[in-house]
Amino acid sequence: MNTNFSIPSSTLGYVDNRLHFHHKPLQEAISNYSTPFYLYSKQGLKDNIEYFHSCAQNFFDHPCIHYAMKANSHPEVLKMIASLGHGVDIVSLGEYKLAVSAGVSPSKIIFSGVGKTEMEIEEIISQKESIKSFNVESIDELETIQKISSRYNQITNIAFRLNPDVRAQTHQHISTGGSCHKFGMTSGEIEVALAQKWPNLNLVGLSIHIGSQLKNFEATKNAINEMLDLIRRNDLRHLSFLDFGGGLGIFYGPHDHDLTSAPDYFSQIKSQIAPFFENSQFPQIIFEPGRFITGNAGVLISKVVRMKDNGIKHFVILDAGMTELIRPALYDAYHEILPFDRRDEKDEIYDFVGPICETGDFFAKDRSSTLIKKNDYVAIGNCGSYARCMASTYNAREIPPEYFIEDIK
Ligand code: LLP
């Protein structure tokens, strides 16, 4: 058993009251850059990829990683994924093009999503090299892929994304595995599809993805049981892969102490499925981590425009807003906000807000923090995933640049 791995250490923290990101003091590092901007670490990314992969290897032979590139599709991230031999999970033609131009082989691309258009499907099927699988989410999509494959006289690999009807413990907007959600197909729908002939389709796998930033393993366990039931009822043990999606949570703050660790996650999946495949060929095991790979490898750097105290609230008004990080507004998400200098004075309670004309434009409410002053800089933690990729130009703002700490002299 390979025990040669350790958890990537925390990469944002104080040394002598000065904030460091990947061993560099931020104040000096960024003195020539105007804010706001995203700052990533190549080393952080590499550590996360290698950690996730080596943990998975500890439990499975040749586990396959398909990075969910919706989390952060910066070309350098994709190049690193490709250079380390991994694949991606895409949800649009745009992501396909980015992945291929970063060097990801089409044979390592899985295409998920409920709304793949005919144009997107045709563009991908018409390429010389086929993708690994279309993870299909409806019978209508299946019919479309069949029609286009037949027109191109091709056999297309597909997998069914099962909607296992489970309630994952996470924010309701990022829970995807219930029958009230638009994602995947119920086992009944999959069985209807299995009963029909699809001359140009080759069923290669089954997938589940029940949500993101999952708080515990409970719903995943139930979803896997549903998947195994479906396999048993329909004699699908011969499938070449089982895809367990993404969703593994990362540590954002005080509410995240009980998250399932990566080794526990893989160990639980292994113990659930191993007995099932005892007497048959073990399928390839696929994971689609997004947040786990990029989340803590990035921060958002912002400057305090001004302080404002109305006697009820003490606002820290930053030059970044919901346009750069919408997660607090959308999901009530917690992100650490750390000023570059930690002062000795007593902590204060602040609302950290942005400049956008929306009450929802906040990063944190009633947050205890070291004393903050006008023109201070802050780093907002865990902005490597779902920050830049969800940015908008609302209020005619520009999308801020992205830098790598390794490239900053
Ligand atoms: N696979 C599929 C099919 C997905 O839909 C997703 C995420 C993933 C994998 C990766 O999940 P992860 O490992 O990153 O949890 N904007 C939200 C997250 C939305 C996730 C959507 N799907 C947020 O900021 O929390």
Side-chain angles (χ1 to χ4, degrees):
M1 193 182 239
N2 166 26
T3 50
N4 187 19
F5 59 84
S6 58
I7 304 177
S9 55
S10 169
T11 52
L12 182 67
Y14 290 99
V15 179
D16 295 334
N17 285 335
R18 296 164 72 228
L19 192 61
H20 285 58
F21 184 53
H22 283 271
H23 313 294
K24 278 200 183 161
L26 281 168
Q27 189 78 49
E28 277 103 88
I30 70 125
S31 51
N32 294 327
Y33 295 80
S34 49
T35 51
F37 62 88
Y38 302 96
L39 184 63
Y40 307 134
S41 160
K42 289 180 194 166
Q43 189 59 49
L45 277 173
K46 190 156 181 275
D47 289 349
N48 289 343
I49 298 167
E50 286 177 348
Y51 175 68
F52 190 93
H53 189 218
S54 55
C55 283
Q57 276 178 316
N58 234 14
F59 296 97
F60 303 101
D61 291 337
H62 313 298
C64 243
I65 296 183
H66 286 260
Y67 167 61
M69 63 179 279
K70 60 173 77 74
N72 183 331
S73 53
H74 190 289
E76 291 299 325
V77 175
L78 302 179
K79 277 185 206 158
M80 187 173 301
I81 290 286
S83 71
L84 295 172
H86 303 300
V88 293
D89 167 60
I90 62 166
V91 287
S92 71
L93 182 60
E95 288 194 343
Y96 172 86
K97 289 180 178 166
L98 281 178
V100 171
S101 64
V104 178
S105 153
S107 65
K108 291 184 176 171
I109 294 181
I110 282 177
F111 192 2
S112 306
V114 292
K116 305 175 190 84
T117 65
E118 279 208 38
M119 184 277 286
E120 289 180 307
I121 294 170
E122 175 157 2
E123 176 88 17
I124 289 177
I125 287 184
S126 64
Q127 302 297 315
K128 247 203 271 120
E129 235 186 299
S130 313
I131 62 168
K132 178 163 173 172
S133 170
F134 285 83
N135 282 5
V136 172
E137 309 213 15
S138 64
I139 294 198
D140 183 76
E141 182 187 332
L142 211 53
E143 286 167 354
T144 307
I145 300 176
Q146 164 58 40
K147 184 178 76 185
I148 296 170
S149 305
S150 151
R151 201 185 309 140
Y152 282 84
N153 200 17
Q154 270 196 31
I155 303 292
T156 301
N157 285 344
I158 63 117
F160 291 117
R161 174 169 172 181
L162 170 68
N163 179 316
D165 195 16
V166 296
R167 277 312 114 81
Q169 238 198 62
T170 184
H171 190 276
Q172 55 165 339
H173 291 174
I174 49 175
S175 172
T176 54
S179 53
C180 59
H181 301 137
K182 66 182 175 182
F183 298 99
M185 300 166 71
T186 63
S187 49
E189 286 175 297
I190 293 177
E191 281 166 346
V192 168
L194 285 170
Q196 295 174 38
K197 293 248 176 304
W198 306 95
N200 294 76
L201 305 184
N202 181 28
L203 176 63
V204 288
L206 278 180
S207 82
I208 46 169
H209 172 77
I210 61 163
S212 201
Q213 186 60 14
L214 301 176
K215 297 275 176 247
N216 55 44
F217 192 75
E218 204 47 41
T220 307
K221 183 175 166 195
N222 296 336
I224 293 175
N225 280 336
E226 282 297 309
M227 191 190 225
L228 297 179
D229 275 350
L230 183 70
I231 296 174
R232 189 181 297 113
R233 279 201 308 275
N234 297 281
D235 205 10
L236 295 175
R237 277 188 171 80
H238 61 278
L239 289 179
S240 50
F241 72 72
L242 295 184
D243 176 350
F244 293 100
L248 195 57
I250 65 168
F251 185 82
Y252 281 95
H255 309 295
D256 297 323
H257 278 291
D258 298 331
L259 292 173
T260 311
S261 70
D264 275 357
Y265 177 72
F266 296 124
S267 149
Q268 299 203 60
I269 294 180
K270 172 76 185 277
S271 62
Q272 227 179 322
I273 64 176
F276 193 83
F277 290 100
E278 222 164 33
N279 300 316
S280 52
Q281 169 88 17
F282 211 81
Q284 181 181 64
I285 300 301
I286 294 178
F287 298 100
E288 300 173 354
R291 190 187 315 266
F292 200 91
I293 302 300
T294 39
N296 72 1
V299 290
L300 171 61
I301 305 292
S302 178
K303 189 173 179 180
V304 178
V305 177
R306 66 177 51 85
M307 306 295 293
K308 182 170 165 178
D309 189 346
N310 66 6
I312 296 166
K313 285 278 190 182
H314 200 171
F315 296 104
V316 179
I317 303 176
L318 297 174
D319 63 0
M322 65 193 295
T323 40
E324 285 72 44
L325 176 66
I326 201 171
R327 302 194 69 257
L330 266 189
Y331 319 116
D332 256 322
Y334 181 100
H335 283 259
E336 234 176 358
I337 305 174
L338 299 177
F340 282 14
D341 286 313
R342 189 163 55 183
R343 299 195 169 91
D344 287 338
E345 287 103 310
K346 159 170 142 329
D347 282 4
E348 294 275 331
I349 304 289
Y350 298 115
D351 274 20
F352 288 85
V353 300
I356 310 300
C357 298
E358 294 265 345
T359 304
D361 178 32
F362 65 90
F363 292 116
K365 291 182 175 167
D366 298 322
R367 178 78 59 88
S368 169
S369 160
T370 182
L371 188 76
I372 307 249
K373 295 185 180 164
K374 179 171 175 158
N375 293 332
D376 279 354
Y377 289 96
V378 300
I380 305 179
N382 284 311
C383 282
S385 291
Y386 305 117
R388 162 64 185 86
C389 56
M390 296 176 79
S392 79
T393 57
Y394 185 38
N395 284 195
R397 286 164 65 82
E398 282 179 15
I399 304 275
E402 298 163 283
Y403 304 117
F404 284 85
I405 189 94
E406 289 82 358
D407 299 336
I408 289 181
K409 294 291 166 258

